[in-house]
Amino acid sequence: MEVRETVEETPMTAFSTLSRKGQTVIPAEIRRLLGAEPGDHIVFEVVDGEVRLRVAKRKSLRSLLGSLPGTGPEDISVIRKAAYASKAREKYLNGDASAGE
């Protein structure tokens, strides 16, 4: 059995029908080949008259906005101050003379 190194080395043709709403289904064998999963973003690129399709797995920082509890940047400064205080306290308790620096 020959193992392909990249998707580009795996020739495949599949067909899908375009709906009246401009929607189509990416055939299962193509989804498997690309590693596409529900929730992934699909990027369409037109290059030299051909459409290239790729899966964008990474989420942008903007897409993560609101996924953690908190009201905004002020929460980060409170957390940062608490972390500094905790570290200073730890150094002081361990007898580190540079705790105040």
Side-chain angles (χ1 to χ4, degrees):
M1 178 177 177
E2 183 180 341
V3 177
R4 307 271 183 191
E5 292 298 319
T6 64
V7 172
E8 291 82 18
E9 296 174 2
T10 308
M12 181 180 290
T13 300
F15 296 91
S16 183
T17 302
L18 189 65
S19 76
R20 288 181 181 169
K21 294 181 178 183
Q23 299 170 331
T24 191
V25 173
I26 301 169
E29 60 269 21
I30 301 291
R31 292 194 311 268
R32 278 192 294 275
L33 181 69
L34 296 175
E37 299 173 330
D40 287 345
H41 292 269
I42 305 300
V43 179
F44 296 90
E45 298 172 311
V46 179
V47 179
D48 296 329
E50 293 185 0
V51 176
R52 295 182 182 173
L53 174 102
R54 64 183 168 86
V55 177
K57 290 271 187 192
R58 295 184 189 175
K59 292 187 175 189
S60 68
L61 289 177
R62 183 172 297 259
S63 72
L64 298 175
L65 188 63
S67 62
L68 295 175
T71 58
E74 63 276 11
D75 294 324
I76 298 299
S77 68
V78 170
I79 292 168
R80 185 179 293 123
K81 286 177 186 177
Y84 287 149
S86 175
K87 190 66 174 173
R89 192 169 31 259
E90 178 183 318
K91 285 184 174 186
Y92 177 78
L93 293 174
N94 289 332
D96 188 346
S98 63
E101 295 178 11

